[in-house]
Every structure is written in C-alpha cells, then in structure tokens.
C-alpha cells in the first residue's frame, strides 16, 4: 500500500491520516486481505505501535498512535488526552440540511428523535448540541453529546461539522441519523436506497462520508499539546467538487491556519 501521511511524529506520539476503507486493526469479522492501518504504520516507521483510538473502516482522517509499546502508560496517557481534547469531523449527509441550518441559527430549538421523543438542543456560537442517549456495543443506553455546525449544501447533499463531547459507539453516525440526515454511504445507520444512488454516482463501496479533520489535544505530563489537521482525501474532494461545490474551499479556508506541529504531506517511507 502507499505510505500514509504522517501529520505528527514526536515524543513517541504519531498521528496519521487514515484513508477511507482501511481498517484500523484486524478483527475476526474482517475478511479483507488488505494490510490494516496498525501494521501499515509499523512497517512504514519500522516500529511497533499501539492505537490510542480508532476510526470506523468507512471513515477517514486523523488517527492517534503510540510508538512506545514497552510502556503501556504512554498509550493510556494518549487515550486520556483524546478524551479531554477536541476532535472536529466533517460529515457529508443526505438532503439539503434546511432544518439543520435552522437549528444552527436558532430558528428551531428541538427535533424529533428516532424514538419519537422530542429532544431540545442548546445553541452556542452557531453550533447546536444534541444530547440524546445511544446504545453502546453491548446494547446499553449511555449518555451521548455531539455539537454540530452547518457548512454548505448542494442540490441533494450537505456538509456539516461535528464535535463529539462523549465517545460512544458510532455516536456521530447515530446522532445524524436521528436528525434525519444520515451520512452518505453509511450502510448501518443510513438509507439503503440513497446509498445505492450515490454508489451509482461513483462513491465507492464500504466508504462513507465522514472525515476526522482536526485533532486538538491538551498538554499532559509527557506529551505537549497537539493541533493537527488531516487533509480531506481525494475521493471525497472529487465527489464534493461535483455535488457540494465550494465545500473544499470553505473547509481549507477555515482550517488553513494551524499550529507549527502540522507538516502537510509529510510521509515517512
């Protein structure tokens, strides 16, 4: 496989830009013969690595790893950093996002969830926050909170920023589906008919429109503060140029000024 873009590599801490459709680590359910991200990074830097968090296979964006595999405390510290930090995703969703825009502008103050319950939202600086419990992998309801901000729409799809405040299983995907704007390509929490239409338009199988764009992590005892941006990958850019014109330019303008930790396009071969 081609080398992964290294966004950050200091103090045994590595952040890479994961492409879509690449699994983070092997599982008993995975039938792919493709090398997982964990092994790809290991081979690329010639060191064993541990995942501090992961992204779903169909998603893309920043993934945090530790290359200090002899000290489990380092991986634990990174996991604590990411829980306390801020992750900003961009999601590509079904529809024009008209009601989402109303929620962001304060014209609407509630929405009807998939369970039929009316949920209020809180508004702050153009972001609205959803607080709706969702089931975890063990089918138990857990509190979950995500903030959203509308960016731009095309004829039948739109882009929204997402910042999860909690780390529940498939949280962003479930919250957006609950807002009646599922992520395009999401076969689990999306719309089969709509997804089939987008596949016919060229969006590749197993891919869905979710990208972890920015990772901002606080300083801890052994690791300094981190602020990196993972460039939107070409497969999403190609689709958005046609179906949500102007989205890439807006995102790049909003996130072009970043901390000196970011080195765009840097790879370790």
């Amino acid at each position: 496989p081609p080398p992964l873009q290294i966004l950050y590599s200091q103090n045994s801490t590595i952040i890479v830009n994961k492409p879509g459709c690449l699994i983070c680590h092997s599982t008993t359910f995975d039938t792919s013969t493709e090398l997982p991200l964990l092994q790809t990074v290991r081979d690329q830097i010639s060191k064993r690595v541990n995942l501090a968090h992961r992204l779903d296979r169909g998603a893309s964006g920043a993934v945090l790893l530790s290359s200090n595999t002899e000290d489990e405390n380092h991986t634990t510290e990174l996991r604590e950093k990411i829980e306390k930090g801020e992750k900003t995703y961009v999601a590509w969703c079904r529809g024009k996002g008209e009601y989402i825009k109303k929620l962001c502008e304060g014209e609407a103050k509630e929405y009807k969830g998939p369970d039929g319950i009316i949920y209020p939202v809180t508004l702050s600086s153009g972001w609205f926050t959803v607080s709706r419990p969702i089931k975890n992998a063990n089918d138990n309801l857990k509190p979950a909170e995500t903030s959203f901000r509308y960016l731009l729409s095309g004829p039948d799809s739109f882009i929204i920023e997402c910042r999860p405040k909690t780390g529940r299983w498939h949280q962003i995907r479930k919250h957006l589906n609950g807002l009646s704007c599922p992520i395009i390509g999401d076969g689990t929490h999306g719309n089969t008919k709509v997804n089939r239409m987008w596949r016919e338009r060229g969006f590749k199988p197993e891919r869905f429109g979710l990208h972890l764009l920015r990772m901002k992590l606080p300083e801890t005892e052994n690791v300094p503060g981190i602020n990196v941006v993972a460039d939107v990958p070409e497969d999403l850019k190609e689709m958005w140029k046609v179906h949500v014109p102007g989205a890439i330019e807006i995102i790049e303008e909003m996130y072009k000024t970043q901390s000196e930790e970011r080195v765009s396009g840097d790879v370790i071969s």
Side-chain angles (χ1 to χ4, degrees):
L4 298 174
Q5 182 188 25
I6 306 292
L7 304 172
Y8 183 93
S9 182
Q10 293 181 33
N11 305 297
S12 301
T13 303
I14 298 168
I15 302 177
V16 302
N17 191 357
K18 182 185 100 64
C21 302
L22 177 64
I23 197 165
C24 280
H25 59 85
S26 298
T27 69
T28 55
F29 305 103
D30 179 43
T31 58
S32 172
T33 57
E34 188 173 19
L35 201 64
L37 178 137
L38 198 62
Q39 281 71 42
T40 301
V41 175
R42 177 198 64 193
D43 294 349
Q44 193 167 318
I45 69 172
S46 300
K47 286 184 180 180
R48 290 176 59 86
V49 290
N50 290 331
L51 283 166
H53 84 119
R54 71 175 192 87
L55 293 177
D56 295 322
R57 179 179 195 155
S60 56
V63 174
L64 179 66
L65 307 102
S66 168
S67 61
N68 184 356
T69 56
E70 295 179 0
D71 183 5
E72 276 297 323
N73 289 331
H74 187 263
T75 303
T76 300
E77 184 176 353
L78 292 184
R79 287 172 178 158
E80 291 173 352
K81 279 173 74 74
I82 207 164
E83 286 178 5
K84 296 175 181 176
E86 180 183 271
K87 293 181 292 181
T88 303
Y89 294 75
V90 282
W92 181 33
C93 301
R94 178 190 72 180
K96 293 186 177 182
E98 294 172 346
Y99 196 72
I100 297 297
K101 193 174 181 180
K102 288 181 178 180
L103 289 169
C104 288
E105 294 174 348
E107 293 181 26
K109 301 182 186 300
E110 60 188 22
Y111 74 99
K112 189 175 184 179
D115 50 11
I117 298 174
I118 301 298
Y119 291 93
V121 303
T122 56
L123 185 67
S124 177
S125 303
W127 292 77
F128 72 90
T129 299
V130 168
S131 296
R132 179 174 67 83
I134 56 177
K135 291 182 178 180
N136 62 11
N138 297 319
D139 211 33
N140 297 318
L141 275 176
K142 296 289 184 180
E145 187 173 294
T146 312
S147 293
F148 298 100
R149 182 167 66 174
Y150 169 91
L151 280 186
L152 183 71
S153 67
D156 52 7
S157 62
F158 71 100
I159 310 291
I160 188 171
E161 290 175 283
C162 322
R163 286 181 180 163
K165 308 296 184 182
T166 49
R168 306 304 179 197
W169 186 55
H170 293 183
Q171 177 173 318
I172 293 174
R173 297 164 63 184
K174 290 179 177 180
H175 273 170
L176 284 171
N177 189 41
L179 287 162
S180 299
C181 51
I183 295 172
I184 289 173
D186 188 344
T188 305
H189 307 291
N191 183 287
T192 302
K193 184 178 179 180
V194 171
N195 288 342
R196 187 183 303 118
M197 178 190 73
W198 285 103
R199 302 301 182 206
E200 292 171 353
R201 291 179 176 182
F203 198 42
K204 57 187 176 184
E206 298 186 340
R207 180 68 156 117
F208 52 80
L210 184 64
H211 178 75
L212 178 42
L213 179 69
R214 183 186 187 189
M215 186 179 288
K216 190 175 181 181
L217 307 179
E219 181 179 356
T220 52
E221 184 178 354
N222 300 306
V223 183
I226 299 173
N227 181 10
V228 297
V229 167
D231 295 330
V232 175
E234 288 301 319
D235 63 337
L236 289 182
K237 282 184 177 181
E238 289 174 7
M239 297 299 291
W240 294 357
K241 283 176 183 176
V242 175
H243 301 288
V244 197
I248 295 299
E249 291 78 7
I250 288 175
I251 291 168
E252 289 180 347
E253 179 66 25
M254 289 173 62
Y255 290 93
K256 70 178 181 180
T257 305
Q258 293 301 321
S259 62
E260 60 186 14
E261 287 94 351
R262 183 187 178 209
V263 182
S264 180
D266 184 27
V267 297
I268 299 175
S269 56

